[in-house]
Amino acid sequence: MPDKRPMSVQVRDRLVELFEARGLLPGDRLPSEAEIAELCDVGRSTAREALKLLEQDGLVVVERGRGRFLSSLSTLNVERPITRFESITTMLEALGHEFRSVVLSVAEAEPTTTERDALELVEGETVIRLERLRFAGDDPLIYSVDAVPSECIPGPPKHVDWTGSLTSLLAAQGHLPVSSAARLKAVELPDDVLEKYSLAGVGPWLLISETAITKSGRHVLYAQDYHRGDTFAFNVLRR
């Protein structure tokens, strides 16, 4: 399956594999942007963006006038840390899950107070609210309710394929989410959801409430994703 993630993200992950293959240790100097661009067959701007992602992950430190070096955090192997922003589709694919997405409902609507605040909407602006379930076989994995500003996805909602990655859909319209602020909480599904979709007894659930923004700082997604607590665990890298 083609990797649809941004090239800078792909290069970041390739660099981690490269550093491990070369046996680099904390404090070792990294190849230059030009060398990385040549090694990964990408432009220098993409190489630079990939290195910035590694800096954000805490794996690389920059010493002004000297270059970039591998940090001490690189010795910690944290699989898919919660600090890494990625879509649910990307996460499930990377974890090897064979899944299907079922669209439960999608409609243009007035935002709730929480959605309006999270997306920084003004009076009169609407959202497209998307409700989905992801299944592995017949087992529900994730129940989600996503809200995006209506103007970010042009055209009637019924004309859009909502089964794929919402992040990719936003990116195709020039609104690629690159980072988010998220809150994790152990919860039960709302009673009406449990009854409507026959999900009683499936929990517990881990709710991730997340507001995603673009590179320019625009708020383009407010997501409430309920993950099966007996299936998913999220790692945290503390600095």
Side-chain angles (χ1 to χ4, degrees):
M1 183 180 296
D3 194 335
K4 298 181 180 180
R5 297 177 302 162
M7 184 56 66
S8 58
V9 174
Q10 296 181 46
V11 172
R12 175 198 63 192
D13 292 349
R14 287 162 62 186
L15 287 176
V16 172
E17 294 174 358
L18 176 66
F19 299 159
E20 292 177 352
R22 289 189 172 185
L24 295 185
L25 299 174
D28 286 347
R29 183 193 293 272
L30 302 188
S32 67
E33 289 178 5
E35 291 172 318
I36 288 174
E38 184 175 353
L39 283 169
C40 298
D41 193 25
V42 295
R44 287 190 61 169
S45 60
T46 300
R48 187 178 306 115
E49 290 174 7
L51 287 166
K52 286 182 179 178
L53 291 175
L54 289 173
E55 290 174 37
Q56 292 170 11
D57 289 343
L59 301 181
V60 170
V61 293
V62 179
E63 295 186 17
R64 183 165 298 180
R66 296 190 62 224
R68 295 180 175 90
F69 299 83
L70 211 57
S71 78
S72 58
L73 289 179
S74 62
T75 61
L76 296 176
N77 182 17
V78 180
E79 183 181 1
R80 314 204 75 75
I82 192 63
T83 48
R84 177 177 299 179
F85 176 76
E86 59 186 354
S87 70
I88 286 179
T89 299
T90 298
M91 179 191 71
L92 290 175
E93 290 174 348
L95 292 175
H97 287 289
E98 293 186 7
F99 68 96
R100 58 189 173 92
S101 295
V102 175
V103 177
L104 304 173
S105 67
V106 59
E108 186 171 4
E110 291 292 325
T112 64
T113 300
T114 300
E115 291 168 344
R116 180 179 291 111
D117 292 343
L119 296 172
E120 298 187 336
L121 302 175
V122 299
E123 193 68 32
E125 290 185 306
T126 60
V127 298
I128 296 175
R129 189 176 300 117
L130 172 64
E131 184 185 22
R132 292 185 290 184
L133 262 172
R134 273 84 161 192
F135 290 87
D138 294 327
D139 292 329
L141 293 178
I142 299 172
Y143 168 75
S144 62
V145 180
D146 301 316
V148 300
S150 297
E151 65 175 356
C152 289
I153 309 290
K158 65 181 180 180
H159 293 166
V160 178
D161 179 7
W162 299 100
T163 59
S165 166
L166 188 52
T167 297
S168 296
L169 187 59
L170 285 165
Q173 299 300 325
H175 306 295
L176 172 65
V178 296
S179 59
S180 70
R183 182 172 183 263
L184 285 76
K185 185 179 181 182
V187 299
E188 292 291 345
L189 283 176
D191 290 340
D192 59 329
V193 175
L194 289 171
E195 181 178 356
K196 187 175 183 179
Y197 302 119
S198 302
L199 294 173
V202 175
W205 299 83
L206 182 63
L207 171 61
I208 300 181
S209 301
E210 184 171 41
T211 302
I213 64 174
T214 65
K215 191 174 182 178
S216 65
R218 182 175 184 181
H219 294 216
V220 293
L221 171 64
Y222 176 67
Q224 298 178 85
D225 301 319
Y226 296 77
H227 299 70
R228 280 276 295 269
D230 59 353
T231 302
F232 296 97
F234 296 91
N235 300 295
V236 178
L237 182 64
R238 302 176 69 187
R239 311 180 205 167

